[in-house]
Structures are given as structure tokens and as C-alpha cells.
Amino acid sequence: GQQVMQIPQYQHVQEGEDFTTYCNSSTTLSNIQWYKQRPGGHPVFLIQLVKSGEVKKQKRLTFQFGEAKKNSSLHITATQTTDVGTYFCAGPPFNQGGKLIFGQGTELSVKP
Amino acid sequence: DSGVTQTPKHLITATGQRVTLRCSPRSGDLSVYWYQQSLDQGLQFLIQYYNGEERAKGNILERFSAQQFPDLHSELNLSSLELGDSALYFCASSVGAGGSYNSPLHFGNGTRLTVT
């Protein structure tokens, strides 16, 4: 079945440093979504990418969808302590209804 | 507040027992999803319902079952519970049925199940 892999699993950064998490799918995705889960919280939708090569920005966050629609990345510029949490990518398997397969997530910790 | 309500918040029960988790989707959302989150397994998709019908299935155990009622709330039934079933169970809802374009998922706060 489809697998969505995320690396790294953990990332510890100093406040102000940049952070990137990478997401790779074993199959082509029609779209990809990113979620953030704060410690003790629930996943919260951040963004959806649909087009090949698409790049979207939300303030210090930059999301990219690969040309082949099999990989994606999230880059945070100048991390802040409010960025702490686990970032998940999620994609739908082809022709399998509406289910979203989540990656394992990248847990980001930020040292002030 | 996502608008998705899950009850109960916490559940502690013994092995072999049966429990029911309840979810009320966001107003207007027709799809309900159930996910299991444990420390070493991430977010595992269990099942999706759309407007009362099962739409997609994940690696849901035979001991687990779910349904979506006419008022669109959903219940996840877990039976013959084992220690390994201890996890956080999330319900999420979305407007559409999914497919080539997935509408965003809105997650509830989860039910933490502890099996002793």
C-alpha cells in the first residue's frame, strides 16, 4: 500500500535557526496536506498543495510540492518557540476514497 | 476550537472490555474520519464515513467497528480490548468525501484510552 515517509523524525534547533521537514510518498499524490500538532493538542490543518511544483507561503512557513507530485517539504525561517510541535504531511492514496495517509511526523523543539 | 466534539476525553478500562467513543462533526461536514495515535505508530487511519456510508477503510482491526448515524455523529466501538489498544483516538470531519481533492480535516481533541 501507499507509504508516506517523513524525515527527520526529530529536530532540535536554537531559536532563530531555520527548520525543514521532508515528506516522500511511494506513489504519486493528487494533493498533499500539512498539519501541525502542538504538544498535548490535536492536529491542525495548515495548508494544501495541489499542483506540480507548487510553492505556497504563510509568513515564515514555505511549503513546496515536488514536480513529480511524490514529495513535499515545509521550511520554517527563523524559528520561534511558538513553532514547537509535530508537523505532519498527509496524502490520499489513488482511488481509495477520501482517506488521508499521514507521515510519521517531524517533532520540532526550539531552544530559546 | 475546531467544532468537532469527542467524548469522553479519557477512558480507563480493563482488558477484554468493550468501549464506545463518540464524535460529533463540525456543522455542515458530511465526512467523519477515525484515527488512532500511539507513540510509535503516528496517526493511523482507521475508517471514513461520508453521509452515513462507509467510504474508506484503513487497517482497522476486526474487533473495532464504527458507524455514522443519520444526524452525522459517529461512534467507534472497540471490543475485546487489549493492552496494545491504549492510544489517543481522534475523530476528524471534513466537508467533502475526498478523492482527487481532499477538503481539510478538522480534528477533535481526542479520546485517550487506557487499557489496564
Side-chain angles (χ1 to χ4, degrees):
Chain A
Q2 180 202 13
Q3 286 190 314
V4 177
M5 309 296 291
Q6 256 186 280
I7 55 169
Q9 194 174 353
Y10 303 97
Q11 185 80 57
H12 308 286
V13 300
Q14 195 76 33
E15 189 172 22
E17 291 181 340
D18 292 357
F19 158 77
T20 305
T21 173
Y22 299 91
C23 179
N24 291 288
S25 169
S26 57
T27 59
T28 302
L29 299 169
S30 58
N31 64 85
I32 193 156
Q33 298 184 8
W34 285 90
Y35 291 79
K36 176 184 178 182
Q37 184 176 19
R38 294 182 188 274
H42 58 270
V44 175
F45 173 78
L46 293 176
I47 208 161
Q48 179 168 240
L49 304 170
V50 179
K51 298 176 187 173
S52 168
E54 189 170 14
V55 177
K56 285 188 176 180
K57 293 191 176 186
Q58 286 180 350
K59 297 182 181 177
R60 295 177 295 102
L61 278 60
T62 302
F63 303 84
Q64 195 159 5
F65 202 8
E67 293 291 340
K69 301 182 78 173
K70 292 180 75 172
N71 61 294
S72 181
S73 64
L74 157 60
H75 179 82
I76 303 179
T77 304
T79 54
Q80 299 175 359
T81 54
T82 52
D83 295 326
V84 163
T86 301
Y87 293 84
F88 293 96
C89 62
F94 183 71
N95 271 351
Q96 290 191 41
K99 75 176 176 182
L100 277 179
I101 303 299
F102 279 74
Q104 291 293 88
T106 295
E107 185 179 335
L108 172 65
S109 62
V110 180
K111 191 174 179 183
Chain B
D1 181 17
S2 67
V4 178
T5 305
Q6 282 189 255
T7 56
K9 261 182 136 175
H10 302 276
L11 206 45
I12 301 174
T13 189
T15 54
Q17 295 299 304
R18 173 189 168 95
V19 297
T20 298
L21 313 183
R22 184 188 166 100
C23 169
S24 293
R26 218 172 52 131
S27 177
D29 284 358
L30 299 178
S31 269
V32 169
Y33 305 73
W34 286 97
Y35 283 86
Q36 179 192 57
Q37 185 175 44
S38 49
L39 281 174
D40 57 345
Q41 293 291 323
L43 278 162
Q44 296 295 311
F45 172 76
L46 296 178
I47 200 162
Q48 178 206 4
Y49 282 84
Y50 176 74
N51 206 17
E53 299 289 327
E54 183 182 303
R55 172 92 173 142
K57 214 166 183 176
N59 295 326
I60 187 167
L61 300 171
E62 281 192 18
R63 301 183 285 109
F64 295 2
S65 65
Q67 54 183 327
Q68 187 179 29
F69 295 87
D71 67 352
L72 300 178
H73 91 271
S74 177
E75 291 181 357
L76 178 67
N77 300 296
L78 315 177
S79 61
S80 302
L81 285 167
E82 301 175 359
L83 295 177
D85 297 327
S86 295
L88 194 50
Y89 290 84
F90 282 110
C91 167
S93 70
S94 71
V95 170
S100 58
Y101 179 84
N102 294 78
S103 44
L105 266 57
H106 301 272
F107 282 80
N109 289 330
T111 294
R112 181 165 296 284
L113 173 67
T114 304
V115 182
T116 62

